Amino acid sequence: PTRTVAVDLKDSPDDANPGHFRTTFRLELVRAACLGTIETILATFAILIAVNRFESGPAVKALIIAAPALGLLGSLVVVPLAVRNGLSAGRASGTISLISCVGFAIAAAGAETESIFVTGVTLGIGILAMAMPLQTHYIRRNYPNAKRGRLFSITVFVRAVTSMIVSWGFGVYLDADFNRFPDLLWVVSGAATIAAVCQFLVPEVPLRVSAEKRHPFLESVHVTRHDKVFIRLLIATMVLGIGVLSSAALRVDYLANPVHGLQFDVKTISLITGIIPSLTRLLSTFFWGWLFDHVSFFRIRNIVNSIFIVATLLYFLPNQMLPILIGSGLFGLARGGGEIMFSLWVTKLAPAEKIADYMSVHTFCAGLRALSAPFIGFYLVQWANVSALVAMTCSLALAAIFLVQSGSRLFQERERSESRI
């Protein structure tokens, strides 16, 4: 397995088919705009509808928020299902997007009933996350190595800008008459349909080079378990994610809850938790994409980890506006780099034909930490205090830095070993 990885890294420079690359990139730009539209439902309007229309309890709101994590958990079985049915990465992704479209349509059609609304929205949001390993697979196979980070950063930029514009438009539309909220769900369902069409049109990217279609459901775990570098980085991202997501869950509560001594107004909280990090994330997207193409991904991972540490310290400890604003901006900066690393780092490590396997294991672990981290954060603050949460987050981020460094050394040793063969 080690030899296969080294050969893939050396034998696949900028060798993507030019026609495939251009077609895939154009389709991804359109899909990015669709995803930006869909993101507004999760970020704002699903919870807003649940509160204003149905006066939903915490369990319902938690289920909606947890939908992406549930989808990530399910991503582990997507690759074997696609292989068993002989689907390419694009067609399998498109099928998943069509199921998402159906979910949002169910929510729109049954918008007057809370249970139907929640079921449809949870299905629509959650199912999209399951396709991430497949999308990374066709991006790896169709994009040239030297431009992958930059091209991906452009689609991230389009998605973020679309999300901001659509969010404002939806807000104005509902402000005039909130009872028109089913229209938003129909728009989002249409966006999921267009995204599905884009994925069906992606040039064929087989998930297996052989004609063998048998693929056990835990094959992805078997494929990756002997890769020591991948396992080391997987542990590092798990450790970091638990720390960062635990503190991120408290970012709004820390500013709004009088227990913490701040109790800012809604506009100030919106500025700190929404506008500032979104802007820094957006402005830094191209920088992170360029960095991904030109700098070791181990180094980038640790730069992002370090920024998260500084952001956490500034945001939670001084209890003053200026440090909180700077910390919020740094959170957005780190998130911009973290998003690119989350989606693309396995493309620097895994064999081309096993990208989806590696990614499915990675996203499954991401689902586990996304489900558990908020509970850890809230209960830790309730049991101790915010300082204890900060100490845990920074300690785990430091541990992740050392794990990434050790993974880098293993990777270099493997490269030297392969060069001697």
Side-chain angles (χ1 to χ4, degrees), residues 181-192:
F181 73 88
D183 297 345
L184 273 61
L185 299 170
W186 285 117
V187 171
V188 170
S189 179

Side-chain angles (χ1 to χ4, degrees), residues 356-370:
D357 290 298
Y358 275 66
M359 194 66 185
S360 64
V361 175
H362 166 48
T363 52
F364 175 81
C365 292
L368 289 177
R369 60 180 178 264

Side-chain angles (χ1 to χ4, degrees), residues 24-41:
T24 302
F25 180 60
R26 293 189 187 106
L27 292 169
E28 283 294 288
L29 285 175
V30 176
R31 193 174 73 88
C34 296
L35 290 179
T37 302
I38 296 169
E39 277 182 2
T40 61
I41 289 296

Side-chain angles (χ1 to χ4, degrees), residues 115-234:
S115 59
I116 297 177
F117 166 76
V118 173
T119 300
V121 166
T122 303
L123 176 64
I125 295 172
I127 200 74
L128 281 179
M130 296 178 67
M132 185 171 289
L134 302 166
Q135 294 154 9
T136 303
H137 186 87
Y138 68 66
I139 285 173
R140 165 63 180 84
R141 297 297 293 270
N142 284 356
Y143 282 6
N145 287 348
K147 300 178 181 179
R148 189 174 300 122
R150 181 169 65 87
L151 295 172
F152 184 79
S153 69
I154 294 172
T155 59
V156 170
F157 183 86
V158 170
R159 191 174 78 204
V161 170
T162 303
S163 181
M164 293 172 67
I165 294 172
V166 171
S167 182
W168 177 82
F170 279 179
V172 171
Y173 188 74
L174 287 188
D175 194 46
D177 182 2
F178 196 84
N179 289 324
R180 299 190 295 187
F181 73 88
D183 297 345
L184 273 61
L185 299 170
W186 285 117
V187 171
V188 170
S189 179
T193 304
I194 297 172
V197 172
C198 290
Q199 290 167 322
F200 275 114
L201 294 175
V202 166
E204 285 289 307
V205 181
L207 288 164
R208 284 290 176 272
V209 293
S210 68
E212 178 61 52
K213 292 185 179 180
R214 184 180 176 276
H215 193 75
F217 281 109
L218 293 180
E219 177 69 8
S220 295
V221 177
H222 176 74
V223 164
T224 60
R225 67 190 176 95
H226 297 298
D227 192 326
K228 294 181 180 179
V229 179
F230 175 71
I231 296 299
R232 192 70 57 90
L233 292 177
L234 200 64

